[in-house]
Short mmCIF file of all heavy atoms in Angstrom, two decimals:
data_model
loop_
_atom_site.label_atom_id
_atom_site.label_comp_id
_atom_site.label_asym_id
_atom_site.label_seq_id
_atom_site.Cartn_x
_atom_site.Cartn_y
_atom_site.Cartn_z
N ASP A 1 99.12 62.38 267.34
CA ASP A 1 97.86 62.31 266.60
C ASP A 1 97.75 61.01 265.82
O ASP A 1 96.70 60.36 265.81
CB ASP A 1 97.74 63.51 265.66
CG ASP A 1 96.44 63.50 264.89
OD1 ASP A 1 95.37 63.51 265.55
OD2 ASP A 1 96.49 63.47 263.65
N TRP A 2 98.84 60.59 265.18
CA TRP A 2 98.82 59.35 264.40
C TRP A 2 98.50 58.16 265.29
O TRP A 2 97.65 57.33 264.97
CB TRP A 2 100.16 59.14 263.69
CG TRP A 2 100.12 57.99 262.74
CD1 TRP A 2 99.82 58.03 261.42
CD2 TRP A 2 100.38 56.61 263.06
NE1 TRP A 2 99.88 56.76 260.90
CE2 TRP A 2 100.22 55.87 261.88
CE3 TRP A 2 100.73 55.94 264.22
CZ2 TRP A 2 100.39 54.49 261.83
CZ3 TRP A 2 100.89 54.56 264.18
CH2 TRP A 2 100.73 53.86 263.00
N PHE A 3 99.18 58.07 266.44
CA PHE A 3 98.93 56.95 267.35
C PHE A 3 97.50 56.98 267.89
O PHE A 3 96.85 55.94 268.01
CB PHE A 3 99.95 56.93 268.49
CG PHE A 3 101.25 56.27 268.12
CD1 PHE A 3 102.33 57.02 267.70
CD2 PHE A 3 101.39 54.89 268.18
CE1 PHE A 3 103.52 56.42 267.34
CE2 PHE A 3 102.57 54.27 267.82
CZ PHE A 3 103.65 55.04 267.41
N ARG A 4 96.99 58.15 268.22
CA ARG A 4 95.61 58.26 268.71
C ARG A 4 94.61 57.82 267.64
O ARG A 4 93.65 57.12 267.94
CB ARG A 4 95.30 59.69 269.13
CG ARG A 4 95.86 60.02 270.49
CD ARG A 4 95.39 61.40 270.93
NE ARG A 4 95.84 61.66 272.27
CZ ARG A 4 96.07 62.87 272.75
NH1 ARG A 4 95.89 63.94 271.98
NH2 ARG A 4 96.48 63.03 273.98
N ARG A 5 94.83 58.24 266.39
CA ARG A 5 93.90 57.88 265.31
C ARG A 5 93.94 56.39 265.01
O ARG A 5 92.94 55.82 264.59
CB ARG A 5 94.22 58.68 264.05
CG ARG A 5 93.71 60.11 264.11
CD ARG A 5 93.88 60.87 262.79
NE ARG A 5 95.29 61.20 262.53
CZ ARG A 5 96.05 60.60 261.60
NH1 ARG A 5 95.56 59.69 260.81
NH2 ARG A 5 97.31 60.96 261.45
N HIS A 6 95.07 55.75 265.22
CA HIS A 6 95.19 54.33 264.90
C HIS A 6 94.92 53.42 266.09
O HIS A 6 94.94 52.20 265.93
CB HIS A 6 96.57 54.05 264.30
CG HIS A 6 96.71 54.61 262.93
ND1 HIS A 6 97.09 55.91 262.69
CD2 HIS A 6 96.49 54.06 261.72
CE1 HIS A 6 97.11 56.12 261.40
NE2 HIS A 6 96.75 55.03 260.79
N ALA A 7 94.66 53.98 267.24
CA ALA A 7 94.31 53.18 268.42
C ALA A 7 92.82 52.85 268.38
O ALA A 7 92.02 53.62 267.88
CB ALA A 7 94.65 53.94 269.70
N ALA A 8 92.48 51.69 268.91
CA ALA A 8 91.07 51.27 268.94
C ALA A 8 90.28 52.24 269.81
O ALA A 8 90.53 52.38 271.00
CB ALA A 8 90.96 49.86 269.48
N LYS A 9 89.33 52.94 269.21
CA LYS A 9 88.47 53.91 269.91
C LYS A 9 89.29 54.96 270.66
O LYS A 9 88.89 55.45 271.70
CB LYS A 9 87.52 53.19 270.87
CG LYS A 9 86.57 52.25 270.18
CD LYS A 9 85.63 51.59 271.15
CE LYS A 9 84.73 50.62 270.44
NZ LYS A 9 83.87 49.88 271.35
N GLY A 10 90.48 55.26 270.16
CA GLY A 10 91.32 56.27 270.78
C GLY A 10 91.96 55.84 272.08
O GLY A 10 92.59 56.63 272.77
N ARG A 11 91.81 54.57 272.42
CA ARG A 11 92.36 54.08 273.69
C ARG A 11 93.59 53.22 273.43
O ARG A 11 93.68 52.54 272.43
CB ARG A 11 91.31 53.26 274.42
CG ARG A 11 90.07 54.09 274.74
CD ARG A 11 89.01 53.28 275.38
NE ARG A 11 89.49 52.88 276.71
CZ ARG A 11 88.88 51.98 277.43
NH1 ARG A 11 87.81 51.38 277.01
NH2 ARG A 11 89.35 51.66 278.63
N GLY A 12 94.53 53.25 274.33
CA GLY A 12 95.71 52.41 274.23
C GLY A 12 96.82 52.99 273.36
O GLY A 12 97.76 52.29 273.03
N TYR A 13 96.70 54.26 273.01
CA TYR A 13 97.72 54.83 272.13
C TYR A 13 99.07 54.92 272.84
O TYR A 13 100.12 54.77 272.20
CB TYR A 13 97.29 56.19 271.57
CG TYR A 13 97.34 57.33 272.55
CD1 TYR A 13 98.46 58.16 272.61
CD2 TYR A 13 96.29 57.58 273.42
CE1 TYR A 13 98.52 59.21 273.50
CE2 TYR A 13 96.34 58.63 274.31
CZ TYR A 13 97.45 59.44 274.35
OH TYR A 13 97.51 60.47 275.24
N GLN A 14 99.08 55.13 274.14
CA GLN A 14 100.35 55.19 274.87
C GLN A 14 101.02 53.82 274.90
O GLN A 14 102.24 53.71 274.78
CB GLN A 14 100.13 55.71 276.29
CG GLN A 14 99.73 57.17 276.31
CD GLN A 14 99.40 57.65 277.72
OE1 GLN A 14 99.05 56.85 278.60
NE2 GLN A 14 99.52 58.94 277.92
N THR A 15 100.22 52.77 275.01
CA THR A 15 100.75 51.41 274.97
C THR A 15 101.36 51.14 273.60
O THR A 15 102.42 50.53 273.49
CB THR A 15 99.64 50.39 275.26
OG1 THR A 15 99.12 50.65 276.57
CG2 THR A 15 100.15 48.97 275.20
N GLU A 16 100.71 51.63 272.55
CA GLU A 16 101.25 51.44 271.20
C GLU A 16 102.56 52.23 271.00
O GLU A 16 103.47 51.74 270.34
CB GLU A 16 100.22 51.84 270.15
CG GLU A 16 99.07 50.86 270.05
CD GLU A 16 99.54 49.44 269.73
OE1 GLU A 16 100.40 49.27 268.83
OE2 GLU A 16 99.06 48.51 270.38
N ILE A 17 102.62 53.41 271.57
CA ILE A 17 103.88 54.18 271.51
C ILE A 17 104.98 53.41 272.23
O ILE A 17 106.10 53.28 271.72
CB ILE A 17 103.70 55.59 272.10
CG1 ILE A 17 102.77 56.43 271.20
CG2 ILE A 17 105.05 56.29 272.29
CD1 ILE A 17 102.37 57.76 271.82
N ASN A 18 104.67 52.86 273.40
CA ASN A 18 105.64 52.07 274.15
C ASN A 18 106.08 50.86 273.34
O ASN A 18 107.27 50.53 273.28
CB ASN A 18 105.04 51.62 275.49
CG ASN A 18 106.07 50.96 276.38
OD1 ASN A 18 106.95 51.62 276.89
ND2 ASN A 18 105.94 49.66 276.54
N ARG A 19 105.13 50.19 272.68
CA ARG A 19 105.45 49.02 271.86
C ARG A 19 106.37 49.40 270.69
O ARG A 19 107.31 48.68 270.38
CB ARG A 19 104.16 48.37 271.35
CG ARG A 19 104.39 47.03 270.69
CD ARG A 19 103.09 46.31 270.41
NE ARG A 19 102.47 45.94 271.67
CZ ARG A 19 101.18 46.13 271.98
NH1 ARG A 19 100.39 46.69 271.11
NH2 ARG A 19 100.72 45.77 273.14
N ALA A 20 106.09 50.52 270.06
CA ALA A 20 106.93 50.98 268.95
C ALA A 20 108.36 51.28 269.44
O ALA A 20 109.34 50.92 268.77
CB ALA A 20 106.32 52.21 268.30
N LEU A 21 108.46 51.91 270.60
CA LEU A 21 109.78 52.20 271.15
C LEU A 21 110.52 50.91 271.52
O LEU A 21 111.71 50.78 271.28
CB LEU A 21 109.65 53.11 272.38
CG LEU A 21 109.24 54.55 272.08
CD1 LEU A 21 108.89 55.28 273.37
CD2 LEU A 21 110.34 55.28 271.33
N ARG A 22 109.79 49.96 272.10
CA ARG A 22 110.40 48.69 272.47
C ARG A 22 110.90 47.95 271.22
O ARG A 22 112.00 47.40 271.21
CB ARG A 22 109.42 47.81 273.23
CG ARG A 22 109.99 46.45 273.63
CD ARG A 22 109.08 45.68 274.54
NE ARG A 22 108.90 46.31 275.82
CZ ARG A 22 109.81 46.28 276.80
NH1 ARG A 22 110.95 45.67 276.63
NH2 ARG A 22 109.56 46.87 277.95
N ASP A 23 110.11 47.93 270.15
CA ASP A 23 110.54 47.30 268.90
C ASP A 23 111.82 47.95 268.38
O ASP A 23 112.74 47.26 267.94
CB ASP A 23 109.45 47.40 267.83
CG ASP A 23 108.26 46.50 268.11
OD1 ASP A 23 108.38 45.60 268.97
OD2 ASP A 23 107.22 46.71 267.48
N HIS A 24 111.88 49.26 268.45
CA HIS A 24 113.08 49.98 268.00
C HIS A 24 114.30 49.58 268.84
O HIS A 24 115.38 49.31 268.30
CB HIS A 24 112.84 51.49 268.09
CG HIS A 24 114.04 52.30 267.75
ND1 HIS A 24 114.48 52.47 266.45
CD2 HIS A 24 114.92 52.97 268.54
CE1 HIS A 24 115.58 53.21 266.46
NE2 HIS A 24 115.85 53.54 267.72
N VAL A 25 114.12 49.53 270.15
CA VAL A 25 115.22 49.16 271.05
C VAL A 25 115.70 47.75 270.73
O VAL A 25 116.91 47.50 270.65
CB VAL A 25 114.78 49.29 272.53
CG1 VAL A 25 115.78 48.64 273.46
CG2 VAL A 25 114.57 50.74 272.90
#
């Protein structure tokens, strides 16, 4: 829900999740 709410127009939230995971790695 957090990623969906913070994505532009609800789009790209999966890409943002991937980016967050990549940053962590």
Side-chain angles (χ1 to χ4, degrees):
D1 181 59
W2 188 92
F3 277 96
R4 281 186 176 153
R5 283 187 287 107
H6 289 86
K9 297 181 182 176
R11 300 177 67 192
Y13 74 95
Q14 291 175 336
T15 300
E16 288 303 315
I17 292 171
N18 188 71
R19 189 170 293 133
L21 289 169
R22 179 172 295 283
D23 289 346
H24 176 75
V25 168

